Amino acid sequence: MTAGPPRLLPALRAGLFGTRANTLITLATLLVLSQVVPPLLRWAVLDATFSGNAGACTREGACWAFVAAKLRFILFAFYPPDLQWRPVLVILLLGAILAASAVPRLWGRPLILAWPLTILACWLLLQGAFTATPIPSNQWGGLPVTLFVWALCLAAATPIAILLALARRSTLGGLRTFSVLYIELMRGTPMVAILYVAMLILPMALPDGLSIDKMLRAIVMVTLFWAAYIAEVIRAGLQAIPHGQAEAATALGLGYWRTQRLVILPQALRIVIPGLVNLAIGFLLATSLLAVIGIFDLLNAARAAAADPQWLGFYNEAYIVVAVIYFAICFGASRYSRWLERRLAGGRAAPAPAGGTSATSRKE
């Protein structure tokens, strides 16, 4: 008979004060919190200003009136106020496709087809399609741009990364060399340099009379850049699969691509879920670098809001709002990663006991 789960209070007591080291760490943590929490509470709540204009705010407390006045700008930047229902719809569409992608039973061809349709709909919405005057990309900004660039680049980079990872493990020397050179070159180049290439060098390489939107150039270069990092994570998963898996599939008459699609890649991608989620979180935070080429992502929009002459200097409040949004997305992704890893691990075959044989081998 197995014992039930430990009760909450005994578990907390054991974790906080179970050993001398745990007790010292707990007391030190409480000491630090006693010095940090009261001033922070006083600044954020007790001495804070929740309504009014900039003149009503004091430097002793937070000015949440600034957040109330500039929240729309932080979220949507320079997008026309009368059309801001469009970026709101973009956020909802991206949230819906990401939520659908998080449900394993929905994984399949319909979901794969839904991704490009969703991305196209988001692009048309942001562009102001079917309106009298199109909205140029230099008026896009805030949370919709951050989510749109992140989701689009991550979705487009993943299949490229799979091909790069397979090419790096290929027996074809030329293909393997190209993959190695591409991956190492991209991973050895700062993302800021990649963005400057998209902004300055790529337009000079285009034929005369042909121009590509700044946002689209940035998306293409960021996609190619992220693909190199994802490829290395996927390659680690491919290397973790025993060679016998591919040999058994070949013996059953499966070709190379069917072997990879049905046998190798599902197992490899399941192994590297934590690494992929970690990269995705890092990529989301890296979208703030779009500011170097004049794209107003969420962080850059918050910085610009605090530079408004009427609300000058309230950077702490602006950055706190952005930090809360980033934390909510990243924490949710992290918890989802743990849930998905446990769920997929539940389908793995149990290892055979030491010195014994598995049920499958006995049956054979």
Side-chain angles (χ1 to χ4, degrees):
M1 181 177 179
T2 59
R7 290 177 299 173
L8 180 60
L9 289 179
L12 286 175
R13 190 183 306 116
L16 298 176
F17 304 102
T19 64
R20 183 176 301 176
N22 284 0
T23 302
L24 292 176
I25 293 173
T26 301
L27 294 177
T29 302
L30 291 175
L31 179 61
V32 172
L33 290 177
S34 67
Q35 299 298 314
V36 173
V37 172
L40 182 61
L41 183 63
R42 189 180 308 113
W43 177 84
V45 179
L46 300 180
D47 297 334
T49 302
F50 294 93
S51 61
N53 54 24
C57 296
T58 63
R59 294 299 175 182
E60 287 74 20
C63 184
W64 302 122
F66 158 79
V67 175
K70 304 297 290 185
L71 183 60
R72 288 167 68 95
F73 184 87
I74 293 174
L75 293 179
F76 307 119
F78 298 104
Y79 208 88
D82 57 326
L83 294 176
Q84 284 181 356
W85 61 270
R86 286 176 171 266
V88 170
L89 188 55
V90 167
I91 295 175
L92 294 177
L93 285 175
L94 291 174
I97 193 66
L98 289 171
S101 302
V103 181
R105 63 185 179 86
L106 297 180
W107 294 349
R109 187 169 298 176
L111 183 62
I112 295 176
L113 295 176
W115 263 98
L117 295 177
T118 303
I119 294 299
L120 178 60
C122 291
W123 180 270
L124 293 176
L125 283 169
L126 289 173
Q127 206 173 33
F130 312 114
T131 59
T133 56
I135 311 300
S137 61
N138 57 9
Q139 291 187 259
W140 304 1
L143 183 59
V145 166
T146 294
L147 294 179
F148 180 72
V149 172
W150 174 57
L152 174 55
C153 293
L154 191 61
T158 300
I160 299 174
I162 292 174
L163 295 177
L164 287 171
L166 293 175
R168 186 156 188 171
R169 290 174 49 83
S170 173
T171 57
L172 301 177
L175 187 61
R176 185 174 63 252
T177 301
F178 168 79
S179 176
V180 170
L181 290 176
Y182 177 87
I183 292 173
E184 297 304 327
L185 177 63
M186 285 294 185
R187 293 176 70 231
T189 305
M191 184 173 168
V192 173
I194 296 295
L195 292 173
Y196 277 125
V197 168
M199 186 67 179
L200 303 174
I201 299 178
L202 189 59
M204 294 188 295
L206 297 175
D208 293 338
L210 178 62
S211 63
I212 301 178
D213 185 82
K214 175 178 64 175
M215 181 73 70
L216 188 57
R217 296 199 305 267
I219 288 173
V220 170
M221 294 304 297
V222 170
T223 297
L224 297 177
F225 179 77
W226 287 359
Y229 283 85
I230 300 174
E232 283 298 275
V233 174
I234 295 176
R235 183 173 69 93
L238 293 174
Q239 291 183 186
I241 306 301
H243 291 291
Q245 300 270 350
E247 294 172 356
T250 303
L252 291 174
L254 297 180
Y256 174 81
W257 289 109
R258 293 189 67 192
T259 298
Q260 297 298 329
R261 182 171 62 88
L262 300 176
V263 180
I264 304 300
L265 280 175
Q267 299 180 74
L269 294 176
R270 182 174 61 186
I271 291 172
V272 299
I273 285 174
L276 290 176
V277 173
N278 184 58
L279 272 183
I281 292 173
F283 291 160
L284 174 65
L285 302 179
T287 55
S288 60
L289 294 176
L290 294 171
V292 302
I293 60 173
I295 294 177
F296 274 72
D297 68 299
L298 179 62
L299 183 61
N300 198 26
R303 186 186 301 114
D308 187 338
Q310 296 181 357
W311 296 92
L312 190 61
F314 296 105
Y315 291 100
N316 291 336
E317 292 83 350
Y319 291 148
I320 286 174
V321 171
V322 173
V324 169
I325 295 174
Y326 277 134
F327 175 79
I329 298 173
C330 296
F331 181 75
S334 177
R335 300 301 299 178
Y336 168 74
S337 170
R338 296 187 61 181
W339 171 83
L340 183 62
E341 190 177 5
R342 289 194 301 267
R343 186 183 189 280
L344 296 181
R348 297 178 187 173
T357 56
S358 65
T360 305
S361 60
R362 289 196 301 268
K363 191 178 296 183
E364 292 174 350

